[in-house]
Amino acid sequence: MTDFHAALAKGKVSTEDALAIFDALAPTTPDFMRGYWEGSPFPTDHPLDGALEATGWKGKRFDSEDEVYPLIFDDGQGGTFIVQPGKFMGKPAQGKAFERRAELETDAPAARLRMVQHRGVVTTAMVYDDLPIIDLFKKVDVKTVLGVMDMRGLPLPYFFVLRR
């Protein structure tokens, strides 16, 4: 299966199918990625499937190539807040992030956008400042991207969807 929409409708695909779908999509540019994007799962039976959503993850915001906010969460009151990734990833996620808001919240950017070659194609990558994580993005359409998280020590890639 190499069709993004069919995979979403199915509800879960293998890592191999997700990689084939990712490979078939068009690369993105940092300019294309600018703005706020809402996040949702792209399940592949990865150990992290559902973990971010369970804590209230809402999406990512790209203000410029050097001002990226990779973790935006529901504040429990209809709004959102920005989380410092190192603090969030440093402790196992339990419950909703807004319950730890005082500990996790920041207003500082925590990543940058760069063009990176991945699987033979140059596309936009979000490089975390303090974590061994790179998220890479491929365009499904003008309002949707498929993301893949490449994290040192994690043997399988983690997939997610971002929508404007």
PDB file of all heavy atoms in Angstrom, residues 6 12 22 44 55 57 60 67 69-70 90-91 97 109 119 150-151 163:
ATOM      1  N   ALA A   6      -5.539   6.009   1.725  1.00  0.00           N
ATOM      2  CA  ALA A   6      -5.968   4.630   1.982  1.00  0.00           C
ATOM      3  C   ALA A   6      -5.398   4.134   3.307  1.00  0.00           C
ATOM      4  O   ALA A   6      -6.081   3.445   4.070  1.00  0.00           O
ATOM      5  CB  ALA A   6      -5.542   3.720   0.829  1.00  0.00           C
ATOM      6  N   LYS A  12      -4.213   1.782  10.305  1.00  0.00           N
ATOM      7  CA  LYS A  12      -2.891   1.334  10.731  1.00  0.00           C
ATOM      8  C   LYS A  12      -2.213   0.679   9.537  1.00  0.00           C
ATOM      9  O   LYS A  12      -2.852  -0.022   8.756  1.00  0.00           O
ATOM     10  CB  LYS A  12      -3.001   0.342  11.873  1.00  0.00           C
ATOM     11  CG  LYS A  12      -1.687  -0.196  12.363  1.00  0.00           C
ATOM     12  CD  LYS A  12      -1.793  -1.030  13.619  1.00  0.00           C
ATOM     13  CE  LYS A  12      -2.867  -2.053  13.591  1.00  0.00           C
ATOM     14  NZ  LYS A  12      -2.874  -2.955  14.741  1.00  0.00           N
ATOM     15  N   PHE A  22       5.790   7.525   2.585  1.00  0.00           N
ATOM     16  CA  PHE A  22       6.638   8.693   2.808  1.00  0.00           C
ATOM     17  C   PHE A  22       7.550   8.928   1.600  1.00  0.00           C
ATOM     18  O   PHE A  22       7.663  10.051   1.103  1.00  0.00           O
ATOM     19  CB  PHE A  22       7.463   8.496   4.084  1.00  0.00           C
ATOM     20  CG  PHE A  22       8.259   9.692   4.505  1.00  0.00           C
ATOM     21  CD1 PHE A  22       7.666  10.720   5.204  1.00  0.00           C
ATOM     22  CD2 PHE A  22       9.612   9.790   4.210  1.00  0.00           C
ATOM     23  CE1 PHE A  22       8.399  11.837   5.602  1.00  0.00           C
ATOM     24  CE2 PHE A  22      10.353  10.888   4.600  1.00  0.00           C
ATOM     25  CZ  PHE A  22       9.739  11.911   5.292  1.00  0.00           C
ATOM     26  N   THR A  44       1.445   2.834  13.151  1.00  0.00           N
ATOM     27  CA  THR A  44       2.226   1.768  12.508  1.00  0.00           C
ATOM     28  C   THR A  44       2.583   0.664  13.507  1.00  0.00           C
ATOM     29  O   THR A  44       3.507  -0.098  13.259  1.00  0.00           O
ATOM     30  CB  THR A  44       3.534   2.331  11.920  1.00  0.00           C
ATOM     31  OG1 THR A  44       4.317   2.878  12.989  1.00  0.00           O
ATOM     32  CG2 THR A  44       3.295   3.366  10.850  1.00  0.00           C
ATOM     33  N   THR A  55      -1.320  12.663  26.002  1.00  0.00           N
ATOM     34  CA  THR A  55      -0.883  13.740  26.890  1.00  0.00           C
ATOM     35  C   THR A  55      -1.424  15.111  26.475  1.00  0.00           C
ATOM     36  O   THR A  55      -1.135  16.106  27.120  1.00  0.00           O
ATOM     37  CB  THR A  55       0.660  13.811  26.938  1.00  0.00           C
ATOM     38  OG1 THR A  55       1.157  14.063  25.632  1.00  0.00           O
ATOM     39  CG2 THR A  55       1.236  12.525  27.497  1.00  0.00           C
ATOM     40  N   TRP A  57      -1.119  16.460  23.175  1.00  0.00           N
ATOM     41  CA  TRP A  57      -0.362  17.113  22.099  1.00  0.00           C
ATOM     42  C   TRP A  57      -1.314  17.636  21.039  1.00  0.00           C
ATOM     43  O   TRP A  57      -2.216  16.938  20.606  1.00  0.00           O
ATOM     44  CB  TRP A  57       0.613  16.119  21.483  1.00  0.00           C
ATOM     45  CG  TRP A  57       1.403  16.652  20.320  1.00  0.00           C
ATOM     46  CD1 TRP A  57       2.281  17.680  20.326  1.00  0.00           C
ATOM     47  CD2 TRP A  57       1.399  16.155  18.979  1.00  0.00           C
ATOM     48  NE1 TRP A  57       2.839  17.864  19.074  1.00  0.00           N
ATOM     49  CE2 TRP A  57       2.294  16.926  18.232  1.00  0.00           C
ATOM     50  CE3 TRP A  57       0.710  15.130  18.341  1.00  0.00           C
ATOM     51  CZ2 TRP A  57       2.523  16.712  16.877  1.00  0.00           C
ATOM     52  CZ3 TRP A  57       0.940  14.917  16.992  1.00  0.00           C
ATOM     53  CH2 TRP A  57       1.851  15.711  16.278  1.00  0.00           C
ATOM     54  N   LYS A  60       2.530  21.577  16.101  1.00  0.00           N
ATOM     55  CA  LYS A  60       3.831  22.244  16.022  1.00  0.00           C
ATOM     56  C   LYS A  60       3.632  23.619  15.388  1.00  0.00           C
ATOM     57  O   LYS A  60       2.699  23.824  14.617  1.00  0.00           O
ATOM     58  CB  LYS A  60       4.797  21.436  15.144  1.00  0.00           C
ATOM     59  CG  LYS A  60       5.059  20.022  15.649  1.00  0.00           C
ATOM     60  CD  LYS A  60       5.987  19.263  14.700  1.00  0.00           C
ATOM     61  CE  LYS A  60       6.232  17.853  15.165  1.00  0.00           C
ATOM     62  NZ  LYS A  60       7.007  17.745  16.384  1.00  0.00           N
ATOM     63  N   GLU A  67      13.126  29.604  14.496  1.00  0.00           N
ATOM     64  CA  GLU A  67      12.158  29.722  15.589  1.00  0.00           C
ATOM     65  C   GLU A  67      11.054  28.692  15.388  1.00  0.00           C
ATOM     66  O   GLU A  67      10.051  28.950  14.725  1.00  0.00           O
ATOM     67  CB  GLU A  67      11.564  31.120  15.638  1.00  0.00           C
ATOM     68  CG  GLU A  67      12.584  32.178  16.005  1.00  0.00           C
ATOM     69  CD  GLU A  67      11.982  33.553  15.999  1.00  0.00           C
ATOM     70  OE1 GLU A  67      11.677  34.055  14.893  1.00  0.00           O
ATOM     71  OE2 GLU A  67      11.804  34.109  17.091  1.00  0.00           O
ATOM     72  N   TYR A  69       8.655  25.684  17.349  1.00  0.00           N
ATOM     73  CA  TYR A  69       8.053  25.222  18.598  1.00  0.00           C
ATOM     74  C   TYR A  69       7.478  23.820  18.338  1.00  0.00           C
ATOM     75  O   TYR A  69       6.357  23.685  17.854  1.00  0.00           O
ATOM     76  CB  TYR A  69       6.975  26.206  19.049  1.00  0.00           C
ATOM     77  CG  TYR A  69       7.532  27.606  19.179  1.00  0.00           C
ATOM     78  CD1 TYR A  69       7.556  28.472  18.085  1.00  0.00           C
ATOM     79  CD2 TYR A  69       8.091  28.026  20.375  1.00  0.00           C
ATOM     80  CE1 TYR A  69       8.106  29.736  18.189  1.00  0.00           C
ATOM     81  CE2 TYR A  69       8.642  29.290  20.489  1.00  0.00           C
ATOM     82  CZ  TYR A  69       8.647  30.141  19.393  1.00  0.00           C
ATOM     83  OH  TYR A  69       9.201  31.394  19.495  1.00  0.00           O
ATOM     84  N   PRO A  70       8.256  22.776  18.648  1.00  0.00           N
ATOM     85  CA  PRO A  70       7.876  21.425  18.244  1.00  0.00           C
ATOM     86  C   PRO A  70       6.769  20.764  19.059  1.00  0.00           C
ATOM     87  O   PRO A  70       6.141  19.829  18.583  1.00  0.00           O
ATOM     88  CB  PRO A  70       9.166  20.627  18.374  1.00  0.00           C
ATOM     89  CG  PRO A  70      10.022  21.397  19.288  1.00  0.00           C
ATOM     90  CD  PRO A  70       9.594  22.823  19.205  1.00  0.00           C
ATOM     91  N   GLY A  90      12.198  14.147  29.167  1.00  0.00           N
ATOM     92  CA  GLY A  90      13.073  13.706  30.251  1.00  0.00           C
ATOM     93  C   GLY A  90      12.382  12.843  31.289  1.00  0.00           C
ATOM     94  O   GLY A  90      13.027  12.104  32.013  1.00  0.00           O
ATOM     95  N   LYS A  91      11.052  12.955  31.362  1.00  0.00           N
ATOM     96  CA  LYS A  91      10.287  12.148  32.310  1.00  0.00           C
ATOM     97  C   LYS A  91       9.208  11.404  31.533  1.00  0.00           C
ATOM     98  O   LYS A  91       8.627  11.950  30.598  1.00  0.00           O
ATOM     99  CB  LYS A  91       9.598  13.043  33.348  1.00  0.00           C
ATOM    100  CG  LYS A  91      10.526  13.714  34.309  1.00  0.00           C
ATOM    101  CD  LYS A  91       9.718  14.482  35.326  1.00  0.00           C
ATOM    102  CE  LYS A  91      10.612  15.182  36.326  1.00  0.00           C
ATOM    103  NZ  LYS A  91       9.821  15.959  37.282  1.00  0.00           N
ATOM    104  N   ALA A  97      -0.418  16.870  29.770  1.00  0.00           N
ATOM    105  CA  ALA A  97       0.704  17.796  29.950  1.00  0.00           C
ATOM    106  C   ALA A  97       0.289  19.037  30.745  1.00  0.00           C
ATOM    107  O   ALA A  97       1.098  19.581  31.502  1.00  0.00           O
ATOM    108  CB  ALA A  97       1.286  18.190  28.595  1.00  0.00           C
ATOM    109  N   PRO A 109      11.864  29.118  21.463  1.00  0.00           N
ATOM    110  CA  PRO A 109      11.900  28.087  20.428  1.00  0.00           C
ATOM    111  C   PRO A 109      12.828  26.955  20.856  1.00  0.00           C
ATOM    112  O   PRO A 109      13.754  27.170  21.654  1.00  0.00           O
ATOM    113  CB  PRO A 109      12.435  28.823  19.195  1.00  0.00           C
ATOM    114  CG  PRO A 109      13.059  30.070  19.703  1.00  0.00           C
ATOM    115  CD  PRO A 109      12.460  30.374  21.034  1.00  0.00           C
ATOM    116  N   ARG A 119      16.723   9.298   3.117  1.00  0.00           N
ATOM    117  CA  ARG A 119      16.270   8.249   2.206  1.00  0.00           C
ATOM    118  C   ARG A 119      16.431   8.686   0.746  1.00  0.00           C
ATOM    119  O   ARG A 119      15.583   8.434  -0.095  1.00  0.00           O
ATOM    120  CB  ARG A 119      14.841   7.825   2.537  1.00  0.00           C
ATOM    121  CG  ARG A 119      14.757   7.214   3.957  1.00  0.00           C
ATOM    122  CD  ARG A 119      13.380   6.793   4.346  1.00  0.00           C
ATOM    123  NE  ARG A 119      12.801   5.793   3.486  1.00  0.00           N
ATOM    124  CZ  ARG A 119      13.004   4.474   3.561  1.00  0.00           C
ATOM    125  NH1 ARG A 119      13.830   4.000   4.486  1.00  0.00           N
ATOM    126  NH2 ARG A 119      12.397   3.651   2.737  1.00  0.00           N
ATOM    127  N   ASP A 150      12.952  10.646  13.507  1.00  0.00           N
ATOM    128  CA  ASP A 150      14.163   9.836  13.566  1.00  0.00           C
ATOM    129  C   ASP A 150      14.839  10.194  14.891  1.00  0.00           C
ATOM    130  O   ASP A 150      15.318  11.314  15.063  1.00  0.00           O
ATOM    131  CB  ASP A 150      15.048  10.180  12.370  1.00  0.00           C
ATOM    132  CG  ASP A 150      16.356   9.420  12.346  1.00  0.00           C
ATOM    133  OD1 ASP A 150      16.609   8.600  13.238  1.00  0.00           O
ATOM    134  OD2 ASP A 150      17.152   9.676  11.424  1.00  0.00           O
ATOM    135  N   MET A 151      14.843   9.234  15.812  1.00  0.00           N
ATOM    136  CA  MET A 151      15.399   9.486  17.142  1.00  0.00           C
ATOM    137  C   MET A 151      16.514   8.493  17.427  1.00  0.00           C
ATOM    138  O   MET A 151      16.323   7.287  17.288  1.00  0.00           O
ATOM    139  CB  MET A 151      14.304   9.342  18.202  1.00  0.00           C
ATOM    140  CG  MET A 151      14.764   9.579  19.608  1.00  0.00           C
ATOM    141  SD  MET A 151      13.331   9.476  20.729  1.00  0.00           S
ATOM    142  CE  MET A 151      14.155   9.641  22.297  1.00  0.00           C
ATOM    143  N   ARG A 163      -1.540  18.941   9.902  1.00  0.00           N
ATOM    144  CA  ARG A 163      -2.507  19.622   9.005  1.00  0.00           C
ATOM    145  C   ARG A 163      -2.601  21.091   9.391  1.00  0.00           C
ATOM    146  O   ARG A 163      -2.630  21.428  10.579  1.00  0.00           O
ATOM    147  CB  ARG A 163      -3.890  18.990   9.131  1.00  0.00           C
ATOM    148  CG  ARG A 163      -3.969  17.598   8.557  1.00  0.00           C
ATOM    149  CD  ARG A 163      -5.420  17.082   8.596  1.00  0.00           C
ATOM    150  NE  ARG A 163      -5.515  15.807   7.941  1.00  0.00           N
ATOM    151  CZ  ARG A 163      -5.385  14.639   8.543  1.00  0.00           C
ATOM    152  NH1 ARG A 163      -5.149  14.594   9.844  1.00  0.00           N
ATOM    153  NH2 ARG A 163      -5.514  13.512   7.877  1.00  0.00           N
TER     154      ARG A 163
END
